[in-house]
Amino acid sequence: TLRNRAATAVALPAFELSLSDDQNMVIARRVFLPAELGVADDAIKPGADLPVRLPLTITLPKTAGFAVEIFYP
């Protein structure tokens, strides 16, 4: 869930998903834009929460972990 604590609307960020192996080495990385996550709005309203879900099926062998970074492209 993303939360906007500001008094003004905040633009939606992009999300970078990295998958790692058991030695914490990145084996795959992908950026998802808000539209790819089914989010129709382009901003989070002041004081609002925005739930974000990304159902995945991982087929890469040796996937042991993940990281999500939020950024503005």
Side-chain angles (χ1 to χ4, degrees), residues 23-67:
Q23 294 182 3
N24 208 28
M25 299 295 295
V26 174
I27 56 176
R29 180 177 288 142
R30 174 145 186 249
V31 171
F32 295 90
L33 299 176
E36 294 177 280
L37 302 175
V39 178
D41 297 329
D42 60 352
I44 305 172
K45 295 176 183 172
D49 289 348
L50 179 68
V52 178
R53 297 189 72 175
L54 179 61
L56 297 173
T57 301
I58 309 289
T59 59
L60 291 171
K62 301 184 182 184
T63 302
F66 71 94

Side-chain angles (χ1 to χ4, degrees), residues 10-21:
V10 174
L12 288 172
F15 302 85
E16 179 186 77
L17 173 67
S18 299
L19 302 177
S20 57
D21 63 13

